[in-house]
């Protein structure tokens, strides 16, 4: 998906020209040219291996530290084993609200595909790409992802694109007993208050419907998770969290760079008061949207489905949905 990487030509010692033909005699046979091509191919493969191992980056010679550790090449995504009964009967819909964070997406999709496959979690990754001109609405995108995820998935993960799980003991299995907050306040690198349920939250589809999904009134960044916590409690459900995880705030890698990508935290007009209220009427039942396109992609061998979503806004109800 990303542009192909280019390798700089290897310089010749003594300041000579890097032209390959300069290394060959003035007259050479087809056999000599073929041998030179094989030699160049071998050198290219060797250079690739050294680049993966970290030796080339370290200098490889006397300038490299004797104790430098070799960095292994990134593993290829494991082949799906759809017929393996050990993977269990459930399938996860990984719902990823998204807008313009492509560098994070390129890291997220292959990483999560490998992570879940290693744990034998059947899954489909849905990138919920908001392409309208309204402010970002994470909750509405999750509602749309839920409705569009198909009947072959029976539970969801509301998953931020900038949060990668580093501890393989984290549980992504079917949360039959109730909503399971993977990115708990004891583990999330930034948010530590007791009612926090953002970042990564697993729910069965039945439990999500019991909550009527999430409120569609939260345009801009933040507060939709806090309102959803109240919905969970109102539906008689109990939030569960990981236990026995000893990695603390190092459990996740947070990819977001606040200096590079500012969050839309502006509060407009009545939004300042509305953000603390419980939306008792809206949710799955009144999310307004249109699917502009549905595209199956493979990012570094990891499959995902990109939904280009046009949300709609009733400006008489939520005038803060626009940037004006």
């Amino acid at each position: 998906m990303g542009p192909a990487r280019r390798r700089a030509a290897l310089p010749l010692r003594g300041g000579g020209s890097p032209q390959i033909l300069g290394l060959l005699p003035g007259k050479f046979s087809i056999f000599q040219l073929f041998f030179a091509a094989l030699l160049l191919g071998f050198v290219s493969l060797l250079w690739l291996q050294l680049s993966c191992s970290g030796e080339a980056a370290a200098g490889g010679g006397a300038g490299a530290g004797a104790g430098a550790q070799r960095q292994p090449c990134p593993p290829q995504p494991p082949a799906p084993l759809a017929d393996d009964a050990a993977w269990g009967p459930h399938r996860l819909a990984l719902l990823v609200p998204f807008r313009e964070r492509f560098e994070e997406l390129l890291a997220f999709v292959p990483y999560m595909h490998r992570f879940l496959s290693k744990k034998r979690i059947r899954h489909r990754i849905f990138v919920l790409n908001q392409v309208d001109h309204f402010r970002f609405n994470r909750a509405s995108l999750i509602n749309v992802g839920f409705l569009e995820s198909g009947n072959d998935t029976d539970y969801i993960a509301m998953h931020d694109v900038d949060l990668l799980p580093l501890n393989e003991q984290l549980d992504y299995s079917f949360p039959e007993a109730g909503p399971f907050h993977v990115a708990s306040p004891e583990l999330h690198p930034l948010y530590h208050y007791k009612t926090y349920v953002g970042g990564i939250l697993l729910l069965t589809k039945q439990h999500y419907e019991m909550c009527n999904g999430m409120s569609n009134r939260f345009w801009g960044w933040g507060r939709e998770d806090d309102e959803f916590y109240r919905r969970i409690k109102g539906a008689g459900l109990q939030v569960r969290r990981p236990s026995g995880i000893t990695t603390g705030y190092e459990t996740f890698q947070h990819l977001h760079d606040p200096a590079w990508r500012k969050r839309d935290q502006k509060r407009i007009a009545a939004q300042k008061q509305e953000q603390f209220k419980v939306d008792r009427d809206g949710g799955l039942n009144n999310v307004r949207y249109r699917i502009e396109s549905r595209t199956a992609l493979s990012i570094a061998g990891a499959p995902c489905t990109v939904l280009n979503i046009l949300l709609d806004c009733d400006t008489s109800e939520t005038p803060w949905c626009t940037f004006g």
Side-chain angles (χ1 to χ4, degrees):
M1 181 173 178
R5 295 174 58 188
R6 297 184 178 180
R7 300 189 181 278
L10 291 175
L12 296 179
R13 298 191 178 185
S17 171
Q19 295 180 355
I20 298 300
L21 292 178
L23 300 176
L24 299 175
K27 295 182 181 180
F28 52 88
S29 66
I30 295 178
F31 174 78
Q32 289 174 315
L33 183 61
F34 178 71
F35 177 78
L38 286 179
L39 181 61
L40 286 175
F42 174 77
V43 171
S44 298
L45 291 175
L46 179 61
W47 177 257
L48 177 62
Q49 178 61 34
L50 291 177
S51 298
C52 286
S53 68
E55 291 180 3
Q69 294 183 349
R70 293 168 59 95
Q71 300 298 324
C73 297
Q76 294 297 318
L81 303 174
D83 297 329
D84 189 343
W87 285 49
H90 302 289
R91 186 184 299 272
L92 169 68
L94 195 72
L95 306 182
V96 188
F98 179 80
R99 176 182 262 179
E100 298 176 349
R101 300 169 74 166
F102 295 100
E103 68 281 3
E104 295 171 4
L105 185 69
L106 292 176
F108 178 88
V109 171
Y111 184 90
M112 289 307 303
H113 178 62
R114 290 194 299 268
F115 184 88
L116 295 172
S117 296
K118 189 172 183 179
K119 295 176 70 66
R120 297 186 175 183
I121 302 291
R122 301 178 191 270
H123 62 277
R124 296 182 63 191
I125 300 175
F126 292 90
V127 180
L128 312 174
N129 184 29
Q130 184 176 340
V131 296
D132 54 72
H133 298 292
F134 296 114
R135 299 172 72 191
F136 188 66
N137 192 322
R138 178 178 179 270
S140 288
L141 291 176
I142 292 173
N143 284 340
V144 173
F146 176 89
L147 295 171
E148 298 290 332
S149 58
N151 295 327
D152 62 337
T153 58
D154 54 359
Y155 70 113
I156 67 170
M158 301 153 53
H159 210 301
D160 288 352
V161 71
D162 60 3
L163 201 61
L164 300 181
L166 302 179
N167 192 323
E168 294 183 0
Q169 294 180 353
L170 290 170
D171 188 5
Y172 276 74
S173 63
F174 185 74
E176 185 173 4
F180 186 73
H181 188 209
V182 179
S184 68
E186 297 81 11
L187 305 176
H188 195 283
L190 293 180
Y191 306 114
H192 309 140
Y193 57 96
K194 293 182 179 180
T195 59
Y196 176 67
V197 290
I200 309 169
L201 181 66
L202 309 182
L203 298 95
T204 69
K205 286 193 167 183
Q206 179 185 7
H207 290 159
Y208 194 74
E209 288 178 330
M210 288 171 58
C211 299
N212 191 22
M214 303 185 77
S215 171
N216 301 300
R217 298 178 64 85
F218 291 85
W219 301 88
W221 183 82
R223 297 295 184 186
E224 77 283 344
D225 294 322
D226 297 334
E227 199 271 350
F228 189 62
Y229 177 82
R230 299 182 186 181
R231 289 178 176 235
I232 292 173
K233 291 296 186 180
L237 299 172
Q238 183 70 34
V239 176
R240 299 178 304 113
R241 292 190 166 104
S243 61
I245 303 296
T246 60
T247 44
Y249 298 149
E250 303 297 324
T251 302
F252 300 95
Q253 180 182 0
H254 193 230
L255 301 177
H256 184 79
D257 183 358
W260 169 252
R261 191 180 300 280
K262 302 294 184 181
R263 286 182 168 134
D264 176 18
Q265 296 178 292
K266 189 176 182 180
R267 296 295 180 259
I268 303 172
Q271 186 181 15
K272 295 179 181 179
Q273 291 74 39
E274 290 286 331
Q275 65 181 340
F276 298 106
K277 296 181 180 179
V278 177
D279 180 8
R280 303 188 184 280
D281 301 318
L284 281 174
N285 61 311
N286 69 347
V287 60
R288 298 164 55 175
Y289 72 97
R290 179 168 61 87
I291 300 297
E292 182 180 71
S293 64
R294 179 189 295 258
T295 306
L297 293 180
S298 177
I299 303 177
C304 66
T305 300
V306 178
L307 302 180
N308 282 349
I309 300 169
L310 291 159
L311 297 177
D312 194 12
C313 170
D314 184 350
T315 54
S316 64
E317 286 290 326
T318 55
W320 52 83
C321 65
T322 64
F323 288 99

